[in-house]
Amino acid sequence: MMSSRRTYLVTVGALLSTFILIGIIYPIKQWRVTHERLNPPLSLGGGPLGDHPRPPPINSNSDWDDDFADTLPQKPEPSMSQGSPVDMDREETLWTARAEAVKSEFLYAYHAYEKHAMPSDELRPLTSSPINNYGGWGVSVVDSIDTMILMDAKEEYERALQHVINLDLRKATTTLPFFETTIRYLGGFLSAYALTNETIFLSKADQLGQELLPVFNTPLGIPIFSVHPSTGVPQNRWGNDTLLAEIGTCQLEFQQLAYYTGRTEYFEKVDRMTTLLQTTQSKETGMWGTVWDTMTAKQKNDKLAVGGEADSAYEYLIKSYLQSSKSDPRTQAMFVKAIDGIIENLLYISPTRNLLYVTDSRAGTGRRPSNKLEHLSCFLPGVIALGVKYLPIDIELGYDAEKKKLWGWAAEGLGRTCWMTYADQVSGLGPDEVMFKAWSDDPSQTRGLWIAHVRNWEKTAHSTNAVPPGVRDGEPLRGKARAVMDYHARNDNYQLRPETIESLYVLFKTTGDSVWRERAWEIFEAIRKHARVSLNGERLGGYANVRNVNTKKPVQTDSMPSWYLAETLKYLYLIASPKHLVPLDQWVFNTEAHPLPVPQWRNWEKERYWPATKPDKKDHK
């Protein structure tokens, strides 16, 4: 009996040991399989992100080689000059110095945050005090990490990395608003991981992704406004409302997280929203209402807009298509229909200067435009330019060569107007909202529709004017009366916003026209002159929002939003740098300017996520 019992115990012990070893080894093997398939083109220290071997990862103990970027092959910049080699060298020297100037101002602003506000969310620059408005996790840190990496700010990166290591995502000062948490924190973690291969960023992204999933626990999967990370209890805003932007601005982040972790639930939750948008897209306008019922998916208004409440939902259509390696025909088709609808319904020109702008309106025959242009809407020219550059001609979708030309005009005209709202102001800074003058003797307010002017130009004037009205260049009217300018400021605050600069960056990179680059530099100089806060002694003030932009001395206000560090300064640096740091055919920026590499999707992923897509002949192993 003893021998038999001993044999039994030995056998059981051996089996338990085997199971324990399997339990340890298998997850490690699975993690390695998932981890080793992640091979986006990466770079550190200001080098190009693409077309080169993967660099070694950064960690807190690694050496960040000063010359690392110089060892990597460079993708050529868009053609900007046909001058002599000497002139081109001078131009590169000039823009290198300008990029360094942008970096210097980033460090000035970020060091002020570190000294007076870290680890809180944001800095109040006039009082050198902190504020927690996004969970208290230090949003200005997480939002800025990829900016530090691209600028080669090593010491700041090391301190930020330590902050993330010590960050407890189970504790938050408030409930987490789903939209802002996704674009700022989740996007920030994912981009930092992509740029460094530092696994703590992926770990935090995965943990945050799990904490955000309860927002999708609604009858139709529409995300609820916010959730508390420790309890997992979602909390809706008053009236059970979900904004269009909240439905359509989570796909990039959760799809990237699904790719990195292998957790298909991340993809499926947001893909359900993509399908919802596909089935509810208006056949007449190609657009959606801006406010939805969270529980029933009913659109609660007929407002057509690309500004607040809607903006990034349209932005993510083309970017999701590019992120899918052009494998998702739904987002391709939705984007074409949406841009066509925006051009047909929301683009107007002013009566005197023919400034092309996008406004909001109502669906149906009784539509009346508000004639309001929001700064938030100035992302649109860059998004259209992305479509012109990377969307394939598709006759079935109605996107042909003529449509591509029309879109190109729209992108350039809108970009010019967004810049003009800066250049017209005495300070050189753009107001948050402007109201355009309506056409006289036009009760229906349809005379200003840009597409009608384009069609009239095609019939009568295209032989004498190379481009239609709304696209032709004009001079800024700095400080002139609003009757002459065709518009007036409805909100004269400049909130350090990035949208216009973002579009100037994309227009420069997609067209190679250096005029966009110069315009961005003019805006940077105005920001540095009027928004930089200087305080006595050793106290660094950072940067501040300002009001009264059409005056010589705008008034600073006590706020430095994290998007200034994450977006505005990043785009200014990228447009100034002579190096082609983030190839737009290999990376997509989320709406908080966090660059994410286009995944190398494998066939099983394409077949599962986009079943209408034919798999490549060669599988990505």
Side-chain angles (χ1 to χ4, degrees), residues 2-16:
M2 293 296 292
S3 175
S4 181
R5 183 177 178 182
R6 186 179 295 112
T7 301
Y8 170 77
L9 290 174
V10 169
T11 302
V12 170
L15 287 171
L16 286 172

Side-chain angles (χ1 to χ4, degrees), residues 59 78 112 228 280 290 292 347 536 576 617:
N59 56 56
H228 200 285
T280 56
T290 61
W292 298 50
L347 295 198
N536 294 329
K617 294 181 179 179

